[in-house]
Amino acid sequence: MGDMLAALSSDDYTARVEATKQLAAEGAAAIDTVKTLAMSDDPEVAWRAKTILVDIGIRGDDSTHQRIVALLNELAAAGNASFEKPGEKVVRSRTI
């Protein structure tokens, strides 16, 4: 996870984008790692992690989708302002 944190907070934009794509491509297997990254004090890392979780939730099966919605709502309830009602975005995206 240290490598992913370093890549997501890199000064190199391309490295940040590639790390984001790599984690999103891992799908449900990356959820626990991304959850930890979502609690980062670095605003960009937390934002990218949220984006990854939303992407995984949209592309995943029903079980993954439900897990992501619950996780995002849990993070929002914990007081992380960047996670204000993200579960709604996943739900809306899956119903379109």
Side-chain angles (χ1 to χ4, degrees):
M1 184 177 65
D3 292 341
M4 283 295 115
L5 177 58
L8 288 175
S9 61
S10 173
D11 289 336
D12 180 0
Y13 175 77
T14 303
R16 294 191 311 267
V17 169
E18 287 305 312
T20 300
K21 288 179 184 178
Q22 180 182 348
L23 283 166
E26 290 180 23
I31 292 173
D32 291 333
T33 297
V34 178
K35 176 185 176 182
T36 301
L37 294 169
M39 295 182 278
S40 172
D41 291 333
D42 182 320
E44 181 157 359
V45 171
W47 176 82
R48 286 185 178 277
K50 179 177 101 173
T51 301
I52 293 164
L53 289 170
V54 168
D55 184 62
I56 292 170
I58 291 169
R59 293 183 304 109
D61 61 19
D62 288 342
S63 174
T64 300
H65 170 76
Q66 291 172 357
R67 183 175 173 200
I68 293 293
V69 169
L71 173 59
L72 291 172
N73 289 330
E74 174 188 325
L75 289 166
N80 188 326
S82 68
F83 287 89
E84 186 176 320
K85 299 186 181 179
E88 291 178 10
K89 179 178 182 179
V90 177
V91 171
R92 284 194 311 270
S93 296
R94 293 265 303 197
T95 58
I96 293 176

